[in-house]
Amino acid sequence: MSEKTYQVPTMAEKSASGESPEVLFWVGCAGSFDERYKAVTLAFVKILNKVGINFAVLGEEETCTGDPARRAGNEFLFQMQAMSNIQVLDSYQVKKIVTACPHCFNTLKNEYPALGGNYEVMHHSQFLQGLINEGKIVMKGGGGFRGKKITFHDSCFLGRANNVYEAPREVIRALDLELVEMKRCRTKGLCCGAGGAQMFKEPEKGRKDINIERTEEALQTGAGTVAVGCPFCLTMMADGVKNKEKEKEVNVLDLAELIAKDQGL
Amino acid sequence: MSSLPQILFLLVLGGAGYLLYRRISFLRKTIMLGKQVSRTDHPKERWKTMMLVAFGQKKMFKRLAPALLHLVIYFSFIVINLEVLEFIIDGIAGTHRIFAPVLAGFYTVAINIFEILAMGVLVSCVFFLLRRNITKVPRLSSSELKGWPKLDANLILWIEILLMLAILTMNATDQILAYRGVEKYIPLGGLWISGSMQWIFDGLSNNALLTLERFAWWFHIIGILAFAVYVTYSKHLHIFLSFPNTWYANLEPKGKMPNMDVVTREVKLMLGLQTEPSADEPAAAEAGRFGAKDVNDLTWVNIMNAFSCTECGRCTAECPANITGKKLSPRKIMMDTRDRAEEVSINMQAGKKGFDDGKSLLGDYISQEEINACTSCNACVEACPINIDPLAIILEMRRYTAMEESGSPAQWNAMFQNVETSFAPWKFAPSDRFNWASEINKDAK
């Protein structure tokens, strides 16, 4: 493994050498800029490398999908973003997209078609589940969490918004972890508090912050790991755990990080 | 003299019919204040949704106890109303239990079934009254239910209890009269529930029983007709509207927001993707305002949603903003939409100003604070037993606020600016977007 270096090819490079990659990894803004969440991007890219997927990213050519603008009411800005992204995607004849961000996933999958952007879009939980099912990822038990308790926090934009409930759970099951569900899970899952562009403003007046309510529920399960499949959920849950001063005992990790750890990547 | 009850009956029936007709026309007009939206695609899936969600009450069963109690009332409502057919024929023709000789033994079986169901309704209504007023289920005692909504909910339960008591009283006295050989009354050979109540009335004279039986009969039929009219003024419209409401429900993934085509045209012009509007497209000026300020900016489905709402509060009980003490309550969004639509419609009917009354849904009924608290998590949409979509209304109001008033919270305006200038919701240099890749081999083994 010592000579192993990971590659992050861009669409521009691939296209210059006349290659068309099998899948575009849409990194998203959090995946590109968020200090903590960049680790998830790296973990997923390492997995793609390890499995030998012919992928590429847009690099500097990627821009915000427009989701937060649309949710906050600014349709003009959303459509400007969407149309310029569609121009870029179509110029590379992209057919298939995978992303770790459920907000990007929802927008690319459900909202770009109305503006002429038609792609097969997968969330990384679905993509990872596929790799596990095909036997391309075989768990090694390297993460040191075999048999340990884990809970999964459903992202609203993956779950209720798109009915993806099982893929992330299949990934966790494959890791041989003991999945303990929170009382509010799947269709009844409680939001982390960041959806609908709430990530980008202070919450309205109230008794409590939503992420604290959700973190308390996650901590009640007694799980040492809170698994998430969304950059905003990761931030909100990690902040909640910190607020409860449990960051030494409880990890908040993305599904890709769990697999990367298992594989020793 | 003998035809007087028949004339009276026809008058009552006609009167109720007229009131219903007037109210239904009003409701139709009010719902149609909303904008057109086509919701007739995938008819097969729509029928299926209606059968499962409205008829089959699939989503009610997320909470078992209220689901079972509700099922008893719902099922009985449908079955017992078969008996209303006999009431109406008897009332018009001046007959008494016209189906009894025709159905013979089966008639007794049917009446026994009706009585068991009536008893079930009675018991369920008592439980519902207890839940609402004694054990105070949180979602049934929140502040937005103060006043009329709370009274409305209790009234319905009491009316149903009285109607069921009337049926049982009628059957009990009817059978005593029958076994005393009074003319017209037909012995049915054993009604279990009303039979066990006969001791209450045993001591009464034939005349007293006749009065009581007739009173119960009239009370029941007038009660049912009055109930039918009352329902159209009440949150209980769901007993009819839940069917079209589920049929016309959104079939798209819940995360998908409808595209604003009028914006698409302008954006295309701005980006130089399209040089002039094509002939079949209306000009932007005709499109009205962006987003929703008042009920006429919403679609007719949004307004139908509002009239279908039973105010059960399952949406609000699941709303993360509401759970953590924010002002937002999806149920209140629906109640406000309904109240405003009704207010405008009444104004218009009275020849008054209608929409130009200086009021609007956003501002006078629903505040910015409420719509700003929403996480668009779809918990309310998922929770609604009849597929009402409060989120759609909230998001349309955000569109109005952002695009017509530039009134979004300051931090959102900053986010908009970041997306415009840095192509990310945070203020980072676009040229740094790919910097993460340089870290990939840092700790490679």
Side-chain angles (χ1 to χ4, degrees):
Chain A
M1 286 285 282
S2 59
E3 76 283 5
K4 172 92 187 178
T5 51
Y6 299 107
Q7 306 292 321
V8 194
T10 61
M11 287 305 287
E13 290 162 12
K14 287 269 181 186
S15 145
S17 59
E19 271 184 85
S20 56
E22 179 191 326
V23 60
L24 169 77
F25 171 32
W26 183 276
V27 180
C29 300
S32 305
F33 294 119
D34 184 280
E35 274 312 315
R36 164 68 185 88
Y37 192 72
K38 273 196 267 182
V40 177
T41 308
L42 295 175
F44 189 59
V45 164
K46 287 175 183 176
I47 296 168
L48 294 175
N49 268 274
K50 165 99 190 301
V51 181
I53 303 288
N54 181 8
F55 78 102
V57 298
L58 282 172
E60 284 176 26
E61 287 187 279
E62 189 186 288
T63 72
C64 175
T65 59
D67 159 79
R70 183 172 239 195
R71 276 11 191 218
N74 195 335
E75 182 76 6
F76 271 99
L77 185 52
F78 161 73
Q79 292 201 12
M80 294 284 282
Q81 286 303 115
M83 280 194 231
S84 47
N85 280 325
I86 290 169
Q87 278 184 313
V88 173
L89 291 168
D90 286 352
S91 74
Y92 290 120
Q93 296 173 325
V94 169
K95 301 270 179 309
K96 190 171 168 183
I97 303 175
V98 62
T99 178
C101 173
H103 298 264
C104 297
F105 166 70
N106 177 65
T107 303
L108 293 166
K109 178 173 176 283
N110 295 323
E111 299 182 346
Y112 276 28
L115 296 166
N118 293 289
Y119 320 100
E120 183 196 342
V121 187
M122 291 178 96
H123 184 246
H124 78 329
S125 62
Q126 299 170 311
F127 195 82
L128 291 168
Q129 185 199 8
L131 294 177
I132 293 167
N133 289 350
E134 289 164 30
K136 289 186 180 158
I137 298 177
V138 181
M139 298 303 174
K140 290 181 178 164
F145 29 55
R146 175 165 284 173
K148 295 213 174 121
K149 274 191 190 173
I150 187 169
T151 190
F152 177 70
H153 164 77
D154 285 282
S155 151
C156 310
F157 276 72
L158 192 60
R160 278 187 293 269
N162 288 292
N163 284 316
V164 180
Y165 298 108
E166 290 314 313
R169 288 177 169 80
E170 289 296 317
V171 171
I172 290 170
R173 271 182 217 118
L175 283 159
D176 212 5
L177 286 153
E178 189 197 335
L179 177 60
V180 206
E181 294 287 1
M182 288 182 256
K183 203 177 148 215
R184 291 176 282 200
C185 65
R186 293 193 171 86
T187 57
K188 294 193 123 197
L190 185 76
C191 174
C192 71
Q198 296 295 335
M199 185 70 193
F200 307 100
K201 75 173 195 31
E202 288 303 310
E204 302 302 308
K205 278 199 314 279
R207 270 193 309 274
K208 198 179 191 179
D209 283 342
I210 297 172
N211 66 325
I212 302 299
E213 168 89 9
R214 187 55 164 170
T215 303
E216 285 168 358
E217 194 176 0
L219 294 177
Q220 273 167 20
T221 62
T225 308
V226 179
V228 295
C230 169
F232 300 160
C233 297
L234 185 106
T235 303
M236 298 306 270
M237 296 306 283
D239 281 355
V241 169
K242 232 176 265 166
N243 180 286
K244 293 279 163 189
E245 297 177 348
K246 291 279 183 207
E247 68 266 37
K248 290 214 179 80
E249 301 107 272
V250 178
N251 286 316
V252 182
L253 294 170
D254 183 88
L255 297 164
E257 292 180 301
L258 290 173
I259 293 187
K261 277 192 191 226
D262 176 278
Q263 304 285 304
L265 300 175
Chain B
M1 170 66 200
S2 67
S3 59
L4 186 62
Q6 284 162 264
I7 293 165
L8 261 178
F9 183 82
L10 280 171
L11 282 175
V12 168
L13 196 64
Y18 171 71
L19 289 177
L20 269 177
Y21 169 77
R22 236 185 40 177
R23 180 65 183 171
I24 290 166
S25 317
F26 171 81
L27 289 173
R28 216 190 116 76
K29 260 189 220 147
T30 310
I31 287 169
M32 288 307 162
L33 290 174
K35 290 197 288 195
Q36 261 314 310
V37 59
S38 172
R39 283 275 176 85
T40 47
D41 55 309
H42 302 90
K44 244 190 212 162
E45 209 182 327
R46 294 188 177 281
W47 285 111
K48 198 177 140 199
T49 309
M50 190 183 89
M51 290 314 284
L52 280 174
V53 178
F55 192 74
Q57 303 189 7
K58 185 178 159 204
K59 288 174 90 181
M60 283 296 285
F61 279 85
K62 289 181 179 178
R63 292 170 194 241
L64 191 61
L68 289 173
L69 295 172
H70 181 268
L71 181 69
V72 170
I73 297 183
Y74 164 74
F75 182 70
S76 309
F77 174 81
I78 293 175
V79 176
I80 294 176
N81 274 338
L82 292 175
E83 205 186 350
V84 174
L85 185 66
E86 188 184 43
F87 271 74
I88 290 175
I89 297 174
D90 280 346
I92 295 170
T95 47
H96 185 75
R97 292 198 187 273
I98 192 165
F99 291 151
V102 185
L103 298 174
F106 181 73
Y107 187 84
T108 307
V109 175
I111 298 292
N112 264 318
I113 292 172
F114 295 160
E115 286 197 354
I116 292 166
L117 293 175
M119 210 50 211
V121 171
L122 251 169
V123 172
S124 299
C125 286
V126 169
F127 272 111
F128 278 148
L129 279 171
L130 290 174
R131 277 166 63 80
R132 215 166 255 281
N133 301 294
I134 309 292
T135 62
K136 302 244 178 207
V137 176
R139 69 183 161 93
L140 301 179
S141 42
S142 20
S143 61
E144 68 231 34
L145 295 185
K146 280 206 184 96
W148 165 245
K150 187 183 156 102
L151 178 67
D152 184 18
N154 281 319
L155 268 179
I156 286 280
L157 294 169
W158 283 110
I159 293 173
E160 283 175 34
I161 289 175
L162 290 178
L163 286 176
M164 296 306 115
L165 283 175
I167 288 194
L168 295 174
T169 305
M170 180 189 82
N171 286 351
T173 48
D174 176 284
Q175 285 307 290
I176 302 175
L177 289 166
Y179 284 97
R180 288 186 189 171
V182 176
E183 191 196 355
K184 258 188 162 183
Y185 289 88
I186 306 159
L188 296 173
L191 298 180
W192 305 319
I193 293 177
S194 64
S196 68
M197 289 166 60
Q198 282 177 0
W199 62 270
I200 305 173
F201 310 104
D202 256 346
L204 297 177
S205 68
N206 279 4
N207 269 340
L209 282 174
L210 273 167
T211 311
L212 201 53
E213 191 275 334
R214 280 295 88 191
F215 174 79
W217 189 91
W218 280 96
F219 183 88
H220 187 71
I221 189 67
I222 292 178
I224 282 185
L225 293 172
F227 183 80
V229 175
Y230 175 84
V231 157
T232 62
Y233 288 86
S234 142
K235 66 171 188 139
H236 278 70
L237 255 180
H238 80 287
I239 59 180
F240 302 114
L241 281 184
S242 58
F243 293 91
N245 200 72
T246 46
W247 201 89
Y248 287 108
N250 181 24
L251 296 180
E252 302 278 1
K254 289 192 189 72
K256 178 179 174 179
M257 276 175 73
N259 196 62
M260 289 178 71
D261 295 338
V262 57
V263 170
T264 307
R265 277 192 296 278
E266 295 207 11
V267 171
K268 276 187 176 165
L269 286 171
M270 279 159 71
L271 293 176
L273 295 174
Q274 191 182 322
T275 43
E276 55 191 86
S278 54
D280 57 331
E281 291 166 345
E286 292 166 31
R289 50 167 86 106
F290 294 126
K293 181 190 187 190
D294 215 336
V295 283
N296 56 336
D297 302 319
L298 299 170
T299 69
W300 69 272
V301 175
N302 296 142
I303 304 179
M304 178 173 63
N305 275 184
F307 278 97
S308 309
C309 175
T310 324
E311 300 165 12
C312 73
R314 282 167 172 79
C315 51
T316 295
E318 304 276 325
C319 172
N322 191 277
I323 289 170
T324 55
K326 276 86 177 172
K327 227 178 140 192
L328 174 65
S329 161
R331 169 172 56 188
K332 182 180 166 287
I333 300 286
M334 301 320 297
M335 292 168 70
D336 287 341
T337 302
R338 174 184 171 139
D339 289 349
R340 175 61 184 161
E342 204 158 357
E343 176 183 62
V344 170
S345 201
I346 289 171
N347 274 345
M348 286 168 98
Q349 213 174 34
K352 287 193 218 149
K353 285 174 246 162
F355 284 103
D356 302 321
D357 59 351
K359 289 206 252 173
S360 58
L361 179 60
L362 180 62
D364 293 290
Y365 286 81
I366 299 170
S367 65
Q368 292 289 348
E369 186 180 339
E370 290 167 76
I371 61 166
N372 287 343
C374 173
T375 68
S376 72
C377 76
N378 268 303
C380 54
V381 184
E382 178 71 40
C384 181
I386 56 169
N387 291 357
I388 290 172
D389 187 351
L391 178 57
I393 297 175
I394 295 171
L395 291 173
E396 284 305 313
M397 292 189 161
R398 282 191 181 173
R399 280 174 164 171
Y400 171 80
T401 307
M403 291 190 284
E404 295 278 358
E405 303 215 303
S406 303
S408 303
Q411 286 173 304
W412 276 355
N413 284 331
M415 178 263 287
F416 295 154
Q417 194 148 29
N418 291 336
V419 173
E420 257 172 78
T421 54
S422 314
F423 311 118
W426 298 286
K427 205 177 176 67
F428 289 105
S431 54
D432 291 343
R433 186 176 272 272
F434 196 36
N435 288 358
W436 60 267
S438 62
E439 294 168 37
I440 192 129
N441 289 311
K442 251 188 199 162
D443 51 8
K445 290 166 208 158

